[in-house]
Amino acid sequence: SQQGEEDPQALSIQEGENATMNCSYKTSINNLQWYRQNSGRGLVHLILIRSNEREKHSGRLRVTLDTSKKSSSLLITASRAADTASYFCATVPPFSGSARQLTFGSGTQLTVLP
Amino acid sequence: KAGVTQTPRYLIKTRGQQVTLSCSPISGHRSVSWYQQTPGQGLQFLFEYFSETQRNKGNFPGRFSGRQFSNSRSEMNVSTLELGDSALYLCASSLVAGVSTDTQYFGPGTRLTVL
């Protein structure tokens, strides 16, 4: 079963604009990760944020995490047409017995128009 | 380093048949996980293998099985295929198991269509 929902389900913006995607999850986590998937292909790991972190940056990506609200957001600044893809959040539970298992959200389809 | 490879990339089977999918992890990676992606259920965890042992299994029927070889390559098998098994099957590898911050690297997937 999926951990939670992503919002919006689809987002269409112009090149150069910023894109913000939100992820909500249901249970406690060790960390939350964001992945990108281009048109039914493999997933690419973007960034990982630990449960004791509130914000993390990587290039044009900014991720925030609010564990009290069980939510995270991914901001892509100065978007490019090449950013067009589906974006998924995935959570890892806090206990080592299932530490490897990623539980994915439903994804946001981002379209960046040239 | 070469990435995660999955074979075949596309597969068409009929109901009742069985299928075997293969995954070769990145060289040096010892953990392999499998995920199923469908439009209705999204991405769901199938199982994880490390050192030829299944460490964790998702909520899938026994028709779904897997194994890992001594060279860390992994196969998954689905027997008695059903229409609902049509999906993109993704394999992911990582250096070790049980380290939650260890990045998983995904392969391109095998697209299985069951007719």
Side-chain angles (χ1 to χ4, degrees):
Chain A
S1 62
Q2 292 177 334
Q3 166 72 290
E5 295 299 318
E6 289 179 63
D7 168 53
Q9 287 189 325
L11 179 62
S12 185
I13 59 174
Q14 295 293 134
E15 211 166 21
E17 294 181 337
N18 296 341
T20 299
M21 289 159 268
N22 302 297
C23 165
S24 61
Y25 56 92
K26 298 174 184 173
T27 61
S28 298
I29 62 171
N30 177 289
N31 65 76
L32 185 144
Q33 303 176 31
W34 285 89
Y35 286 82
R36 184 186 74 226
Q37 184 178 39
N38 290 87
S39 191
R41 302 177 73 176
L43 295 159
V44 175
H45 183 266
L46 295 175
I47 195 166
L48 179 154
I49 185 165
R50 294 177 173 79
S51 60
N52 61 353
E53 297 176 312
R54 293 296 166 258
E55 188 171 312
K56 204 160 182 181
H57 297 255
S58 176
R60 294 185 296 114
L61 305 180
R62 173 179 170 256
V63 170
T64 62
L65 178 65
D66 187 335
T67 53
S68 66
K69 295 181 179 177
K70 291 188 169 56
S71 67
S72 174
S73 68
L74 171 68
L75 168 68
I76 304 174
T77 60
S79 62
R80 306 164 182 168
D83 294 329
T84 295
S86 292
Y87 291 81
F88 295 89
C89 65
T91 57
V92 174
F95 303 112
S96 61
S98 53
R100 174 54 59 224
Q101 179 174 343
L102 292 170
T103 303
F104 285 89
S106 52
T108 293
Q109 172 61 50
L110 173 66
T111 302
V112 181
L113 304 169
Chain B
K1 275 186 181 176
V4 178
T5 58
Q6 291 188 245
T7 57
R9 292 293 310 281
Y10 300 92
L11 206 48
I12 299 176
K13 292 286 188 179
T14 56
R15 277 181 301 175
Q17 288 187 309
Q18 77 166 21
V19 67
T20 299
L21 312 181
S22 181
C23 171
S24 292
I26 292 172
S27 177
H29 284 194
R30 297 173 61 193
S31 175
V32 173
S33 298
W34 289 88
Y35 293 82
Q36 181 198 64
Q37 185 176 27
T38 61
Q41 298 298 315
L43 281 152
Q44 297 187 86
F45 172 78
L46 279 158
F47 24 65
E48 179 201 3
Y49 286 88
F50 179 76
S51 292
E52 302 176 65
T53 302
Q54 187 181 89
R55 283 180 50 89
N56 201 5
K57 183 171 166 53
N59 188 25
F60 278 83
R63 299 186 297 108
F64 291 81
S65 63
R67 58 178 176 168
Q68 186 181 34
F69 302 95
S70 58
N71 61 358
S72 296
R73 189 176 71 85
S74 176
E75 289 181 346
M76 68 163 280
N77 184 276
V78 187
S79 62
T80 320
L81 284 166
E82 300 176 359
L83 296 178
D85 297 332
S86 293
L88 180 67
Y89 289 88
L90 294 163
C91 163
S93 79
S94 57
L95 273 171
V96 296
V99 178
S100 61
T101 54
D102 187 22
T103 299
Q104 292 193 58
Y105 295 86
F106 282 80
T110 293
R111 172 76 61 185
L112 171 65
T113 302
V114 182
L115 304 176

